Amino acid sequence: MRQAKNKKKHKGLRILLIILLALLVLLGGTATYVIITLSGHIKNLQRVDHDGVLYYAEYVGKYENNLIELPLNFVRAGGCSAFLTQNENGDVITGRNYDLAHLDFDGNPTGLNVVLRMNPEGKYSSINVADAAWVSVLKVPYVKGALDEGKTTHLFLAFLPYLCMDGINEKGLTASILALDVKEGETAVYQDTPGLPVTSITQLLRSALDNCATVDEVVEFARNHNMRNIVKRDYHLFVSDAGGTSAVLEWRNNELIVTYTDAVTNFYVGCDDAEDVYVDGSLKEKFPGPVRSLRDYHYGYGHGFNRFNTIVQQLDKHRIDSTSYMSEMSEQDAMKLLGSVAQNYDKNEVTSFTQYSEIFNNTEKTLIISIMQDYANEYGFSFEK
Protein backbone atom coordinates (compact mmCIF):
# COMPACT_ATOMS: atom_id res chain seq x y z
CA MET A 1 0.00 0.00 0.00
CA ARG A 2 2.84 2.40 0.87
CA GLN A 3 4.48 1.71 -2.49
CA ALA A 4 1.24 2.50 -4.32
CA LYS A 5 0.90 5.73 -2.37
CA ASN A 6 4.47 6.75 -3.25
CA LYS A 7 3.85 6.05 -6.94
CA LYS A 8 0.72 8.18 -6.79
CA LYS A 9 2.70 10.98 -5.09
CA HIS A 10 5.45 10.88 -7.76
CA LYS A 11 2.81 10.92 -10.51
CA GLY A 12 1.24 13.99 -8.94
CA LEU A 13 4.60 15.75 -8.78
CA ARG A 14 5.26 14.92 -12.41
CA ILE A 15 1.90 16.33 -13.45
CA LEU A 16 2.73 19.52 -11.54
CA LEU A 17 6.10 19.71 -13.26
CA ILE A 18 4.46 19.26 -16.66
CA ILE A 19 2.17 22.21 -15.88
CA LEU A 20 5.16 24.34 -14.85
CA LEU A 21 7.05 23.37 -17.98
CA ALA A 22 4.02 24.24 -20.11
CA LEU A 23 4.06 27.72 -18.57
CA LEU A 24 7.77 27.98 -19.33
CA VAL A 25 7.13 27.06 -22.94
CA LEU A 26 4.47 29.74 -23.20
CA LEU A 27 6.78 32.31 -21.63
CA GLY A 28 9.95 31.13 -23.32
CA GLY A 29 9.60 33.01 -26.60
CA THR A 30 12.58 32.37 -28.83
CA ALA A 31 14.33 29.77 -26.73
CA THR A 32 16.74 26.90 -27.02
CA TYR A 33 15.02 23.57 -26.49
CA VAL A 34 16.27 20.37 -24.93
CA ILE A 35 14.30 17.14 -24.91
CA ILE A 36 14.12 15.50 -21.49
CA THR A 37 11.82 13.19 -19.59
CA LEU A 38 10.63 13.01 -16.00
CA SER A 39 11.24 9.30 -15.52
CA GLY A 40 14.63 9.92 -13.90
CA HIS A 41 15.08 10.76 -10.25
CA ILE A 42 17.73 11.60 -7.67
CA LYS A 43 18.95 9.20 -4.99
CA ASN A 44 21.57 9.33 -2.22
CA LEU A 45 21.37 13.13 -2.02
CA GLN A 46 23.75 14.38 0.67
CA ARG A 47 25.42 17.59 1.73
CA VAL A 48 29.18 17.62 1.14
CA ASP A 49 30.44 20.92 2.57
CA HIS A 50 29.73 22.75 5.81
CA ASP A 51 27.76 25.66 4.32
CA GLY A 52 25.46 23.67 2.05
CA VAL A 53 26.84 25.02 -1.22
CA LEU A 54 27.98 21.59 -2.45
CA TYR A 55 25.91 18.42 -2.55
CA TYR A 56 26.36 14.95 -4.02
CA ALA A 57 23.66 12.90 -5.71
CA GLU A 58 23.16 10.03 -8.11
CA TYR A 59 20.81 10.28 -11.06
CA VAL A 60 18.79 7.18 -11.85
CA GLY A 61 16.61 6.59 -14.88
CA LYS A 62 16.15 8.17 -18.27
CA TYR A 63 16.37 11.86 -19.14
CA GLU A 64 16.05 11.66 -22.92
CA ASN A 65 12.60 11.37 -24.40
CA ASN A 66 10.17 13.24 -26.63
CA LEU A 67 7.77 13.85 -23.76
CA ILE A 68 8.66 17.39 -22.83
CA GLU A 69 10.47 20.34 -24.35
CA LEU A 70 12.26 22.35 -21.68
CA PRO A 71 13.21 25.87 -22.74
CA LEU A 72 16.62 26.63 -21.28
CA ASN A 73 16.54 30.33 -22.01
CA PHE A 74 17.24 31.02 -18.33
CA VAL A 75 20.49 29.02 -18.25
CA ARG A 76 23.80 30.62 -19.13
CA ALA A 77 27.35 29.71 -18.22
CA GLY A 78 29.52 32.21 -16.45
CA GLY A 79 32.85 33.94 -16.88
CA CYS A 80 34.99 30.86 -16.46
CA SER A 81 38.59 29.70 -16.99
CA ALA A 82 40.04 26.32 -18.01
CA PHE A 83 43.38 24.82 -18.97
CA LEU A 84 45.17 21.52 -19.63
CA THR A 85 48.48 20.33 -18.18
CA GLN A 86 49.96 17.14 -16.76
CA ASN A 87 51.27 16.24 -13.32
CA GLU A 88 54.68 14.91 -12.32
CA ASN A 89 53.47 11.33 -12.90
CA GLY A 90 52.48 12.09 -16.47
CA ASP A 91 48.74 12.10 -15.71
CA VAL A 92 46.76 14.49 -17.89
CA ILE A 93 44.89 17.00 -15.73
CA THR A 94 42.35 19.70 -16.55
CA GLY A 95 41.78 22.78 -14.38
CA ARG A 96 38.49 24.64 -14.41
CA ASN A 97 36.91 27.62 -12.60
CA TYR A 98 33.16 28.16 -12.80
CA ASP A 99 32.40 31.85 -12.25
CA LEU A 100 28.87 33.16 -11.91
CA ALA A 101 27.22 35.57 -9.49
CA HIS A 102 24.07 33.92 -8.21
CA LEU A 103 22.19 35.99 -5.62
CA ASP A 104 19.74 34.95 -2.95
CA PHE A 105 16.45 36.77 -2.51
CA ASP A 106 18.16 39.32 -0.25
CA GLY A 107 20.73 40.19 -2.91
CA ASN A 108 23.66 38.33 -1.36
CA PRO A 109 25.93 36.08 -3.46
CA THR A 110 25.10 32.41 -3.08
CA GLY A 111 25.28 29.10 -4.87
CA LEU A 112 23.94 25.57 -4.98
CA ASN A 113 26.12 23.06 -6.81
CA VAL A 114 25.54 19.33 -7.08
CA VAL A 115 28.20 16.76 -7.96
CA LEU A 116 26.02 14.45 -10.04
CA ARG A 117 27.01 10.85 -10.69
CA MET A 118 25.31 9.50 -13.80
CA ASN A 119 25.31 5.99 -15.18
CA PRO A 120 22.94 5.99 -18.19
CA GLU A 121 22.20 2.61 -19.72
CA GLY A 122 24.28 1.91 -22.82
CA LYS A 123 26.35 5.08 -22.38
CA TYR A 124 29.41 6.23 -20.49
CA SER A 125 29.25 6.91 -16.78
CA SER A 126 30.17 10.43 -15.76
CA ILE A 127 30.80 12.68 -12.78
CA ASN A 128 29.28 16.10 -13.41
CA VAL A 129 28.82 19.36 -11.55
CA ALA A 130 25.36 20.87 -11.95
CA ASP A 131 24.46 24.46 -11.11
CA ALA A 132 21.16 23.84 -9.32
CA ALA A 133 20.83 27.51 -8.36
CA TRP A 134 19.44 28.19 -11.86
CA VAL A 135 16.14 26.82 -10.58
CA SER A 136 15.84 29.98 -8.47
CA VAL A 137 14.70 31.89 -11.55
CA LEU A 138 11.42 30.01 -11.09
CA LYS A 139 11.12 31.75 -7.69
CA VAL A 140 11.98 28.57 -5.82
CA PRO A 141 14.65 29.18 -3.15
CA TYR A 142 17.42 27.00 -4.59
CA VAL A 143 20.22 28.64 -2.59
CA LYS A 144 22.86 27.32 -0.21
CA GLY A 145 21.47 24.80 2.25
CA ALA A 146 18.25 24.48 0.28
CA LEU A 147 18.58 20.77 -0.47
CA ASP A 148 18.68 19.75 3.18
CA GLU A 149 15.68 17.68 4.12
CA GLY A 150 12.49 19.68 4.42
CA LYS A 151 13.89 23.06 3.36
CA THR A 152 12.50 23.18 -0.18
CA THR A 153 11.06 20.96 -2.89
CA HIS A 154 13.36 18.50 -4.65
CA LEU A 155 11.01 18.40 -7.62
CA PHE A 156 13.30 20.34 -9.94
CA LEU A 157 16.27 18.04 -9.38
CA ALA A 158 14.94 16.12 -12.39
CA PHE A 159 16.48 18.96 -14.46
CA LEU A 160 20.02 18.40 -13.19
CA PRO A 161 21.36 16.42 -16.19
CA TYR A 162 20.89 19.54 -18.31
CA LEU A 163 22.07 21.99 -15.66
CA CYS A 164 25.57 20.47 -15.68
CA MET A 165 28.26 23.02 -16.49
CA ASP A 166 31.15 20.54 -16.69
CA GLY A 167 32.13 16.94 -16.01
CA ILE A 168 34.36 13.95 -16.72
CA ASN A 169 33.33 10.54 -18.02
CA GLU A 170 34.73 7.05 -17.45
CA LYS A 171 36.95 7.36 -20.54
CA GLY A 172 38.70 10.46 -19.19
CA LEU A 173 36.94 12.96 -21.45
CA THR A 174 36.14 16.30 -19.80
CA ALA A 175 33.81 19.01 -21.10
CA SER A 176 33.25 22.52 -19.73
CA ILE A 177 30.91 25.31 -20.84
CA LEU A 178 32.20 28.90 -20.88
CA ALA A 179 30.28 32.05 -21.78
CA LEU A 180 31.00 34.35 -24.71
CA ASP A 181 29.85 37.90 -25.38
CA VAL A 182 27.88 38.27 -28.59
CA LYS A 183 29.52 41.16 -30.43
CA GLU A 184 27.62 44.23 -31.57
CA GLY A 185 25.98 43.56 -34.90
CA GLU A 186 26.16 39.77 -34.45
CA THR A 187 23.68 37.22 -33.17
CA ALA A 188 24.07 33.99 -31.23
CA VAL A 189 24.64 30.90 -33.32
CA TYR A 190 21.63 29.48 -35.13
CA GLN A 191 22.67 26.76 -37.55
CA ASP A 192 20.06 25.45 -39.97
CA THR A 193 21.69 22.80 -42.14
CA PRO A 194 18.93 20.59 -43.60
CA GLY A 195 18.84 17.06 -42.27
CA LEU A 196 20.94 17.67 -39.15
CA PRO A 197 19.46 17.35 -35.65
CA VAL A 198 19.43 20.38 -33.35
CA THR A 199 21.47 20.72 -30.16
CA SER A 200 22.20 23.43 -27.59
CA ILE A 201 25.35 23.97 -25.55
CA THR A 202 24.04 22.19 -22.44
CA GLN A 203 22.74 19.34 -24.56
CA LEU A 204 26.09 19.11 -26.39
CA LEU A 205 27.93 18.81 -23.07
CA ARG A 206 25.51 16.08 -22.00
CA SER A 207 25.90 14.23 -25.32
CA ALA A 208 29.71 14.52 -25.23
CA LEU A 209 30.02 13.04 -21.75
CA ASP A 210 27.46 10.33 -22.48
CA ASN A 211 28.80 9.21 -25.85
CA CYS A 212 32.36 10.40 -26.57
CA ALA A 213 35.75 9.09 -25.46
CA THR A 214 38.02 11.57 -27.26
CA VAL A 215 38.13 15.19 -28.35
CA ASP A 216 37.93 14.10 -31.99
CA GLU A 217 34.66 12.28 -31.29
CA VAL A 218 33.18 15.42 -29.74
CA VAL A 219 34.23 17.47 -32.77
CA GLU A 220 32.65 14.92 -35.12
CA PHE A 221 29.44 14.95 -33.09
CA ALA A 222 29.29 18.75 -33.17
CA ARG A 223 29.85 18.84 -36.95
CA ASN A 224 26.81 16.62 -37.40
CA HIS A 225 24.42 18.78 -35.39
CA ASN A 226 22.88 22.22 -35.78
CA MET A 227 24.00 24.31 -32.82
CA ARG A 228 21.46 26.84 -31.60
CA ASN A 229 22.12 29.07 -28.64
CA ILE A 230 20.26 31.70 -26.70
CA VAL A 231 19.48 35.13 -28.08
CA LYS A 232 22.14 37.68 -27.00
CA ARG A 233 24.29 34.99 -25.40
CA ASP A 234 26.80 32.54 -26.87
CA TYR A 235 29.14 29.88 -25.52
CA HIS A 236 32.11 27.75 -26.32
CA LEU A 237 33.00 24.28 -25.09
CA PHE A 238 36.43 23.27 -23.77
CA VAL A 239 37.07 19.54 -24.12
CA SER A 240 40.07 17.42 -23.13
CA ASP A 241 40.81 13.71 -23.16
CA ALA A 242 43.07 11.16 -21.51
CA GLY A 243 45.42 11.26 -24.49
CA GLY A 244 46.36 14.86 -23.71
CA THR A 245 44.39 16.54 -26.50
CA SER A 246 42.38 19.65 -25.68
CA ALA A 247 40.34 21.94 -27.88
CA VAL A 248 37.81 24.76 -27.85
CA LEU A 249 34.65 24.40 -29.93
CA GLU A 250 32.97 27.70 -30.76
CA TRP A 251 30.50 28.98 -33.32
CA ARG A 252 30.95 32.30 -35.12
CA ASN A 253 28.82 33.45 -38.05
CA ASN A 254 27.05 30.10 -37.73
CA GLU A 255 30.24 28.16 -38.45
CA LEU A 256 31.96 25.73 -36.09
CA ILE A 257 35.55 26.71 -35.32
CA VAL A 258 37.79 24.16 -33.57
CA THR A 259 41.00 25.44 -31.99
CA TYR A 260 43.44 23.05 -30.33
CA THR A 261 44.67 24.98 -27.32
CA ASP A 262 45.45 24.33 -23.66
CA ALA A 263 43.84 27.49 -22.23
CA VAL A 264 40.55 29.33 -22.57
CA THR A 265 38.49 32.01 -20.82
CA ASN A 266 35.64 34.09 -22.28
CA PHE A 267 36.53 35.30 -25.75
CA TYR A 268 36.63 33.63 -29.16
CA VAL A 269 39.90 31.69 -29.24
CA GLY A 270 39.77 31.05 -32.98
CA CYS A 271 39.00 34.60 -34.11
CA ASP A 272 40.88 37.89 -33.93
CA ASP A 273 38.78 39.50 -31.25
CA ALA A 274 40.85 42.44 -30.08
CA GLU A 275 38.88 45.17 -28.44
CA ASP A 276 38.39 47.97 -30.95
CA VAL A 277 38.59 51.50 -29.57
CA TYR A 278 38.73 54.93 -31.17
CA VAL A 279 41.63 57.23 -30.25
CA ASP A 280 41.51 60.75 -31.71
CA GLY A 281 39.13 59.53 -34.39
CA SER A 282 41.30 56.59 -35.43
CA LEU A 283 40.40 52.96 -34.86
CA LYS A 284 42.88 51.18 -32.61
CA GLU A 285 43.02 47.67 -31.21
CA LYS A 286 43.35 47.76 -27.45
CA PHE A 287 45.56 45.06 -25.95
CA PRO A 288 45.57 44.81 -22.14
CA GLY A 289 49.05 43.26 -22.27
CA PRO A 290 51.05 40.73 -24.24
CA VAL A 291 51.04 37.01 -23.69
CA ARG A 292 54.53 35.57 -23.47
CA SER A 293 54.16 32.96 -26.18
CA LEU A 294 52.55 34.14 -29.39
CA ARG A 295 53.24 30.79 -31.00
CA ASP A 296 49.89 29.38 -29.92
CA TYR A 297 48.05 32.45 -28.64
CA HIS A 298 47.59 35.22 -31.18
CA TYR A 299 43.83 35.69 -31.15
CA GLY A 300 41.11 36.78 -28.85
CA TYR A 301 41.99 39.77 -26.72
CA GLY A 302 38.71 40.47 -24.96
CA HIS A 303 36.54 39.48 -21.98
CA GLY A 304 38.65 37.44 -19.58
CA PHE A 305 41.95 38.33 -21.24
CA ASN A 306 43.75 39.12 -17.98
CA ARG A 307 42.80 35.70 -16.60
CA PHE A 308 43.87 34.10 -19.86
CA ASN A 309 47.18 35.96 -19.79
CA THR A 310 47.90 34.72 -16.25
CA ILE A 311 47.14 31.12 -17.20
CA VAL A 312 49.26 31.23 -20.36
CA GLN A 313 52.25 32.72 -18.57
CA GLN A 314 52.13 30.02 -15.91
CA LEU A 315 51.74 27.24 -18.45
CA ASP A 316 54.70 28.58 -20.42
CA LYS A 317 56.82 28.57 -17.25
CA HIS A 318 56.02 24.89 -16.83
CA ARG A 319 56.55 23.67 -20.41
CA ILE A 320 58.31 20.31 -20.38
CA ASP A 321 60.85 21.52 -22.95
CA SER A 322 61.26 24.33 -25.47
CA THR A 323 59.36 22.51 -28.22
CA SER A 324 56.71 20.68 -26.17
CA TYR A 325 53.09 21.74 -26.21
CA MET A 326 52.47 20.08 -22.84
CA SER A 327 53.26 21.73 -19.51
CA GLU A 328 53.80 19.99 -16.18
CA MET A 329 52.65 20.94 -12.70
CA SER A 330 51.25 19.17 -9.67
CA GLU A 331 47.54 19.12 -8.88
CA GLN A 332 48.32 21.44 -5.96
CA ASP A 333 50.02 23.97 -8.25
CA ALA A 334 47.20 23.65 -10.77
CA MET A 335 44.69 24.47 -8.02
CA LYS A 336 46.83 27.45 -6.99
CA LEU A 337 46.73 28.65 -10.59
CA LEU A 338 42.94 28.44 -10.51
CA GLY A 339 43.00 30.43 -7.28
CA SER A 340 45.12 33.12 -8.92
CA VAL A 341 42.42 33.70 -11.58
CA ALA A 342 39.42 33.29 -9.25
CA GLN A 343 36.96 36.20 -9.19
CA ASN A 344 35.38 37.97 -6.25
CA TYR A 345 31.79 39.17 -6.39
CA ASP A 346 31.18 42.33 -8.39
CA LYS A 347 27.60 43.60 -8.47
CA ASN A 348 28.24 45.11 -11.90
CA GLU A 349 29.52 41.89 -13.45
CA VAL A 350 27.31 38.80 -13.65
CA THR A 351 30.25 36.62 -14.65
CA SER A 352 32.16 37.45 -11.47
CA PHE A 353 32.27 35.29 -8.33
CA THR A 354 33.99 31.91 -8.54
CA GLN A 355 31.49 29.27 -7.49
CA TYR A 356 33.99 26.43 -7.58
CA SER A 357 37.44 25.35 -8.79
CA GLU A 358 38.09 21.85 -10.13
CA ILE A 359 40.98 19.60 -11.00
CA PHE A 360 39.98 16.73 -13.28
CA ASN A 361 42.52 13.93 -13.62
CA ASN A 362 41.80 12.66 -17.14
CA THR A 363 44.11 9.68 -16.65
CA GLU A 364 42.82 8.48 -13.28
CA LYS A 365 39.25 9.73 -13.97
CA THR A 366 38.90 11.68 -10.73
CA LEU A 367 37.62 15.08 -9.62
CA ILE A 368 38.90 17.37 -6.86
CA ILE A 369 36.74 20.42 -6.17
CA SER A 370 37.00 23.47 -3.89
CA ILE A 371 33.94 25.61 -3.21
CA MET A 372 33.66 29.40 -3.05
CA GLN A 373 37.45 29.92 -3.07
CA ASP A 374 37.84 27.89 0.12
CA TYR A 375 41.05 26.27 -1.06
CA ALA A 376 41.83 24.93 2.41
CA ASN A 377 39.10 22.35 1.86
CA GLU A 378 39.01 20.04 -1.14
CA TYR A 379 36.52 17.27 -1.90
CA GLY A 380 37.41 14.26 -4.03
CA PHE A 381 35.23 12.07 -6.24
CA SER A 382 35.96 9.06 -8.42
CA PHE A 383 34.13 6.33 -10.28
CA GLU A 384 35.09 3.83 -7.59
CA LYS A 385 33.07 5.63 -4.91
Side-chain angles (χ1 to χ4, degrees):
M1 178 69 76
R2 180 177 297 175
Q3 184 177 7
K5 184 180 292 185
N6 286 339
K7 286 184 177 179
K8 187 174 182 180
K9 178 181 178 182
H10 287 306
K11 183 177 180 181
L13 291 175
R14 291 173 181 174
I15 291 174
L16 174 60
L17 189 52
I18 289 172
I19 294 172
L20 290 170
L21 287 170
L23 291 173
L24 282 172
V25 171
L26 291 174
L27 297 173
T30 54
T32 298
Y33 294 93
V34 170
I35 307 301
I36 70 167
T37 185
L38 298 180
S39 62
H41 65 277
I42 293 293
K43 73 172 187 177
N44 295 334
L45 177 66
Q46 52 192 283
R47 183 195 278 210
V48 174
D49 72 318
H50 179 268
D51 294 325
V53 182
L54 184 67
Y55 288 78
Y56 171 84
E58 298 171 16
Y59 196 92
V60 179
K62 295 181 179 179
Y63 50 87
E64 293 178 312
N65 201 292
N66 293 330
L67 178 63
I68 293 175
E69 291 184 338
L70 171 65
L72 290 177
N73 59 331
F74 58 85
V75 176
R76 50 183 178 165
C80 311
S81 305
F83 62 87
L84 180 87
T85 186
Q86 71 178 38
N87 65 18
E88 59 274 21
N89 298 321
D91 294 351
V92 177
I93 59 176
T94 301
R96 147 78 160 180
N97 277 349
Y98 176 64
D99 308 335
L100 192 66
H102 283 301
L103 303 178
D104 63 21
F105 295 151
D106 295 322
N108 301 311
T110 188
L112 185 60
N113 301 289
V114 180
V115 176
L116 187 66
R117 175 69 185 272
M118 301 184 64
N119 190 27
E121 184 177 353
K123 300 181 179 181
Y124 296 134
S125 299
S126 59
I127 300 171
N128 316 258
V129 182
D131 183 355
W134 279 118
V135 176
S136 293
V137 301
L138 302 178
K139 304 304 179 185
V140 180
Y142 266 48
V143 294
K144 62 181 180 181
L147 299 186
D148 293 344
E149 191 64 36
K151 285 200 171 183
T152 190
T153 176
H154 291 180
L155 179 65
F156 295 98
L157 295 181
F159 296 167
L160 287 186
Y162 289 104
L163 294 178
C164 295
M165 298 294 106
D166 45 61
I168 183 170
N169 70 16
E170 63 180 283
K171 294 297 183 179
L173 179 87
T174 75
S176 303
I177 300 172
L178 300 93
L180 286 168
D181 295 325
V182 176
K183 303 304 177 184
E184 186 175 352
E186 298 182 8
T187 59
V189 60
Y190 190 94
Q191 293 182 318
D192 198 22
T193 302
L196 294 186
V198 174
T199 191
S200 68
I201 193 64
T202 49
Q203 191 173 16
L204 177 60
L205 180 139
R206 182 77 274 127
S207 298
L209 294 175
D210 287 350
N211 303 293
C212 299
T214 66
V215 169
D216 289 343
E217 290 181 14
V218 179
V219 172
E220 183 66 18
F221 185 93
R223 292 194 190 282
N224 287 285
H225 283 75
N226 283 318
M227 171 60 69
R228 296 180 184 177
N229 278 346
I230 300 164
V231 175
K232 296 183 179 180
R233 176 61 63 179
D234 236 330
Y235 309 90
H236 48 194
L237 189 73
F238 183 69
V239 288
S240 64
D241 61 32
T245 300
S246 58
V248 175
L249 283 67
E250 54 198 16
W251 294 258
R252 194 95 184 258
N253 300 318
N254 289 332
E255 292 186 7
L256 172 63
I257 302 170
V258 180
T259 305
Y260 292 88
T261 178
D262 56 355
V264 63
T265 55
N266 300 111
F267 50 78
Y268 292 96
V269 180
C271 304
D272 187 351
D273 209 25
E275 181 182 356
D276 294 331
V277 295
Y278 283 91
V279 179
D280 296 329
S282 298
L283 183 63
K284 306 288 185 182
E285 289 188 327
K286 181 181 178 182
F287 298 94
V291 292
R292 288 192 174 184
S293 172
L294 297 181
R295 174 173 58 87
D296 296 311
Y297 311 104
H298 55 281
Y299 290 131
Y301 301 88
H303 180 198
F305 175 81
N306 290 331
R307 285 181 279 118
F308 179 79
N309 198 11
T310 298
I311 293 171
V312 169
Q313 290 185 27
Q314 289 302 309
L315 292 177
D316 278 345
K317 286 181 180 178
H318 290 82
R319 298 293 176 197
I320 295 174
D321 54 57
S322 60
T323 60
S324 176
Y325 176 80
M326 184 62 76
S327 59
E328 179 180 296
M329 64 180 71
S330 67
E331 273 97 340
Q332 292 79 11
D333 287 340
M335 188 65 85
K336 288 179 181 178
L337 176 51
L338 290 174
S340 72
V341 293
Q343 299 189 80
N344 296 321
Y345 173 59
D346 181 352
K347 65 179 181 181
N348 298 314
E349 177 55 71
V350 68
T351 57
S352 68
F353 195 55
T354 299
Q355 292 278 338
Y356 55 80
S357 301
E358 302 166 300
I359 300 296
F360 295 106
N361 187 310
N362 301 66
T363 304
E364 296 295 328
K365 291 83 174 179
T366 59
L367 164 64
I368 297 173
I369 185 169
S370 291
I371 295 295
M372 301 295 189
Q373 302 184 48
D374 179 13
Y375 295 107
N377 293 294
E378 297 179 345
Y379 306 95
F381 302 88
S382 72
F383 290 93
E384 297 178 356
K385 295 180 180 180

